[in-house]
Amino acid sequence: MNVMRRRMPLRLGISAAGPRISAVVVDHRDDIVASGTAEGRGDLASGGGGLAAAVGGVLKQVDAREIGLSMLTTDAFAHCLQDYRNMARDMARDMARDMARDMARVAVLRVGATPTTAVPPYAGWPQATVHRLAGPWLITGGGTDIDGSVNGDLDLVTIRAFAERCRVGVAAIAIAGSFSYLDSGPERAAAAALREVLGTEASITLSGEIGGFGLLERENATILNAALSGHAQTLIIMVQSTLWELGIRAELFVAQNDGTLATASLASALPIHLVAGHLASTVRGRTRLGETEDAIVVDSAGAPALDGAGDRRAPVAGVLRHGRLVLEPTSTLAGVRTNQPVPLGFTTPAGVTEDRLVSRLRRRVGGLPVLHSNDPAPHGVAAAVGAATAPVSANVWSFARVGDDRADTLAAARRLAIDKAVLAGADPASTEVRQVVETQASYMSGGALRSFVQAVGPPFHPGVGAFPQPDRRT
Amino acid sequence: MVQPMRFTADDIEPMARGAAVLGGGGGGEPFLAEVMLGEVLGENGTIEIVPVEELDDDADIAPLVLLGAPHALSEKLLGTAEPSILFDGDALRGRTPSAVIPFEMAGMNALYPLAAAALLGVPCVDGDFTGRGVPSLDQTVLELDDVQPDAYYLCDPNGRVVVLQTSGGFSAERLVRPVVETMGWLTVVSTSSLSAAFCRTHALRGSVTRCLELGHVFGGLSAFDEPEAFAVLRSHGGAVLGSGVITERLSTSDPLGPRSSLSIEPDDPTLAPLRVELRNEFQLAVRAGEVLASAPDILVVADRDSWQPLSTEDATADRDVHVVALPTDDRWRTPKGLALVGPRALGYGLDYVDFSVVSGGVGR
């Protein structure tokens, strides 16, 4: 334990699962000092009232000015993904009506090092989702190559012409560059060219910000992110303004798919990292309440079914083993293959029962004890605790070729991971690399290595004196 | 004459699954080639699959294989121009072939030639030269028969082409591999024209059909309980060597390159763990010091629930898996075949073990 670690202020954790909002306040020992729940109308983004009621409830127990950090965990983005699946399901029925409607679509600009034309954007997607979501796309050259060099110049004339096609009916743009984890320069240059035409306010997601290996899977995640980004902005701003009105001046963090946090400004730009955040927080919080590091946590109320099975809520479960959330390295979200890790048990197959889900997980992770998310505290409290007590993290992917200095490459990745974690809101004084996973690339002689590095730190807070402190403590 | 088989969009999924089975963990994950094939075929496209015996005598057959690394493929995806660049360029073959033949019926290389056939508008031969995933261009039945095409043509995604004339039994792999690396670890490779007679003499037959059949078999396994599924595999000549969770993956390097060892703990903790040795493919299965199965038989590590075969890269700790052995083509089980692709050729210092005669190996 780092003795230099700053003493944590009171932290507010908020869980928003559907219309049900739970709020807790934890102290520096992570003990719950206040809690409240409320049922709102509609989801957070619609300002349904549940948030103000739940947080207002805890503020009867704790002074708003004492809260130094606030954390949100929500399943709202999993609901959005479910909507995309329902879109696909309802498609045949609604085809005629939708043809007439002006849908907000996602345009895709792919910047390859090589022609990638055999596998265009949206290839392999459910046909009806493509029909509803896909805007114009362009495949162009000038992307990053396998050695990190840039292969040719961007075709700015064509990119600007593409931007003109995005003026009408396009809500957001996804830019996916080859090997963007080695150099995202081409993606950023392409984004700048689009903004010259569309203005600085254009909603653009870069695949380098989404991260991960595999251009098509990363591009798919980037497209889904672009599709979610408008809703994410609205929702997070709504939460921030509600908290402000309640007198809470603390910075807001949001829980990501592995349960770690990122600042609200970063999170609202990267909602694909938030889709499984609520399950991850539930697992972390419930195991913390149960004082265990090894358990399968079942959320019977569940998450929106992601298998296209309509509005049904399927049971979901997650696993904490040796104190770590067990992740599925790649996930199929809204019927689309992505490279985004989500908790093992998040994407459950259609119609799976709770017992079957547990037995599947037990086969993967051993005979761990089963905990239920709504025991001993009411549903949502575990997730709120999980969010309030989570650290901040950031991930980096890199690749060392044959002949590269592997130690150098890894050291650079470690530095970058720490820098990114600090940008995501981690305290620079105690952010460190927590995980390094190196994998040999097959069919490449000489031991080429892919690596994944995660840096973690406690959320930064400005400390005593940065905002007015109550007198009654003296 | 038999009605030629027509490959349609409905065949893509079982073909991809069969390709992953025959890959034995290697051959490159079929996913991208599967998506490409879906794009090329659209809803109504078809590809004619021609048996080797029914090729016209004057047919000009072009083998096709993607050489490179899955890591490169994952970011470069695939282009559409390479097949026509290889065949239509004046300096090369100068004409579209009458049919293509897959070089290696495994992983992405089982599907890519089908997509290329559709792009070129020609049939695909129901055969290949390996019948399974192999680590090198020298490990084909052509090497077994001491025959080589006169030339190899390599085309990279940027349309750059290299022609390698072969002669005097020099290793094609040693000639080709450095060019593949220089071209950025992803190339489409073909050879000088092969005659129908050449293919009838040397190619393995029925490879596309077998791949599809295995895809259907594995695709149906998840509907059965485990004893029933094991029986289905036995009826196809296979055996389940063990089922359990991968608890450890140890990676090391030796003079032949990187290798890894998986430790698979069975459900029954009193049984010894199953060890699977891999390089780019799964190559050896050992329990308590006894070799249960070895290359060139095909070792498949499949997801416990879905029976989806895993690539060697995906076989990581915590995965719950079955380990299945499937018989390789009889030509690989000859002394010459084993010398080329048996355990000793792969650096293991032990002899080939036929899984179907090992008592401990028959599916339980």
Side-chain angles (χ1 to χ4, degrees), chain B residues 43-309:
Chain B
E43 280 177 30
N44 303 313
T46 65
I47 304 158
E48 189 183 337
I49 308 294
V50 199
V52 178
E53 312 82 65
E54 288 176 24
L55 292 171
D56 293 337
D57 285 340
D58 60 349
D60 157 24
I61 315 297
L64 271 174
V65 63
L66 284 167
L67 287 187
H71 175 71
L73 179 74
S74 76
E75 295 287 335
K76 299 186 175 190
L77 310 186
L78 292 160
T80 43
E82 292 91 332
S84 56
I85 293 173
L86 277 172
F87 300 125
D88 297 343
D90 287 343
L92 303 172
R93 297 169 62 118
R95 60 187 164 143
T96 301
S98 350
V100 301
I101 183 169
F103 207 88
E104 178 196 32
M105 186 54 63
M108 61 186 181
N109 278 327
L111 284 88
Y112 182 79
L114 289 165
L119 283 172
L120 294 166
V122 301
C124 179
V125 176
D126 191 2
D128 80 316
F129 299 106
T130 65
R132 53 155 297 148
V134 295
S136 128
L137 205 52
D138 290 341
Q139 287 162 323
T140 70
V141 289
L142 299 179
E143 196 72 17
L144 214 54
D145 294 351
D146 292 321
V147 289
Q148 281 287 346
D150 299 330
Y152 286 86
Y153 304 138
L154 290 79
C155 179
D156 79 5
N158 291 307
R160 292 174 291 221
V161 173
V162 169
V163 181
L164 293 165
Q165 304 278 349
T166 54
S167 65
F170 192 80
S171 159
E173 171 73 17
R174 286 176 65 192
L175 279 174
V176 165
R177 191 61 62 174
V179 181
V180 172
E181 296 186 17
T182 307
M183 285 178 143
W185 294 96
L186 183 63
T187 55
V188 179
V189 177
S190 187
T191 72
S192 48
S193 178
L194 302 183
S195 69
F198 182 96
C199 291
R200 277 197 281 268
T201 309
H202 301 294
L204 299 173
R205 297 178 182 206
S207 314
V208 174
T209 331
R210 181 177 191 217
C211 185
L212 265 173
E213 183 195 333
L214 283 171
H216 282 295
V217 169
F218 272 73
L221 292 177
S222 62
F224 299 113
D225 63 23
E226 289 189 350
E228 289 169 343
F230 294 0
V232 169
L233 285 170
R234 272 199 299 277
S235 72
H236 286 83
V240 177
L241 305 176
S243 307
V245 174
I246 302 173
T247 52
E248 192 174 42
R249 178 177 170 134
L250 267 179
S251 295
T252 53
S253 264
D254 66 15
L256 286 176
R259 55 182 285 189
S260 299
S261 180
L262 307 178
S263 187
I264 297 164
E265 299 279 352
D267 298 345
D268 178 353
T270 62
L271 289 176
L274 182 65
R275 211 175 81 229
V276 173
E277 300 290 329
L278 67 96
R279 285 183 197 275
N280 296 309
E281 297 91 25
F282 303 110
Q283 295 172 332
L284 212 59
V286 184
R287 180 184 284 124
E290 184 191 15
V291 178
L292 301 183
S294 74
D297 287 330
I298 299 160
L299 288 177
V300 181
V301 176
D303 180 84
R304 184 79 172 262
D305 282 318
S306 66
W307 288 90
Q308 178 63 38

Side-chain angles (χ1 to χ4, degrees), chain A residues 361-378:
Chain A
L361 288 176
R362 277 201 164 141
R363 287 229 304 269
R364 294 274 295 258
V365 299
L368 301 183
V370 174
L371 302 176
H372 283 86
S373 62
N374 54 355
D375 178 44

Side-chain angles (χ1 to χ4, degrees), chain A residues 111-394:
Chain A
V111 186
T114 54
T116 55
T117 43
V119 188
Y122 291 106
W125 283 50
Q127 204 51 48
T129 312
V130 173
H131 185 84
R132 297 288 295 265
L133 196 67
W137 55 261
L138 173 71
I139 297 177
T140 183
T144 306
D145 212 334
I146 193 165
D147 57 0
S149 68
V150 170
N151 192 2
D153 297 325
L154 284 179
D155 181 351
L156 293 174
V157 174
T158 307
I159 291 175
R160 288 196 191 102
F162 175 71
E164 294 292 343
R165 293 170 58 203
C166 297
R167 276 190 191 280
V168 179
V170 170
I173 303 172
I175 302 183
S178 53
F179 297 103
S180 61
Y181 49 88
L182 297 179
D183 182 359
S184 63
E187 287 188 350
R188 285 182 279 114
L194 292 179
R195 288 190 199 282
E196 279 174 27
V197 176
L198 298 168
T200 52
E201 295 304 302
S203 174
I204 297 176
T205 303
L206 308 183
S207 88
E209 294 168 350
I210 301 297
F213 295 113
L215 175 58
L216 191 66
E217 292 90 338
R218 190 171 62 248
E219 178 179 272
N220 286 347
T222 307
I223 293 170
L224 289 175
N225 189 79
L228 294 170
S229 56
H231 186 64
Q233 302 271 356
T234 310
L235 184 148
I236 287 172
I237 287 172
M238 186 67 74
V239 171
Q240 283 173 313
S241 66
T242 303
L243 295 179
W244 183 269
E245 282 163 18
L246 291 167
I248 295 170
R249 298 291 175 265
E251 173 149 26
L252 179 67
F253 288 77
V254 186
Q256 308 179 94
N257 296 336
D258 65 355
T260 63
L261 304 167
T263 59
S265 58
L266 192 62
S268 60
L270 298 172
I272 196 69
H273 290 170
L274 311 178
V275 293
H278 194 266
L279 174 61
S281 299
T282 301
V283 174
R284 283 173 175 259
R286 180 63 189 85
T287 48
R288 183 174 287 274
L289 292 172
E291 296 180 348
T292 176
E293 298 209 315
D294 296 276
I296 295 170
V297 176
V298 179
D299 187 351
S300 319
L306 292 180
D307 51 26
D311 303 320
R312 182 178 56 77
R313 289 175 76 84
V316 289
V319 182
L320 195 78
R321 194 171 47 177
H322 310 314
R324 279 171 190 269
L325 188 71
V326 180
L327 298 173
E328 189 93 72
T330 58
S331 54
T332 297
L333 302 172
V336 180
R337 180 156 141 160
T338 78
N339 62 0
Q340 296 298 295
V342 295
L344 183 66
F346 176 65
T347 52
T348 51
V352 76
T353 59
E354 195 176 310
D355 294 344
R356 173 103 176 104
L357 181 58
V358 167
S359 75
R360 285 166 63 98
L361 288 176
R362 277 201 164 141
R363 287 229 304 269
R364 294 274 295 258
V365 299
L368 301 183
V370 174
L371 302 176
H372 283 86
S373 62
N374 54 355
D375 178 44
H379 186 256
V381 168
V385 169
T389 55
V392 173
S393 83

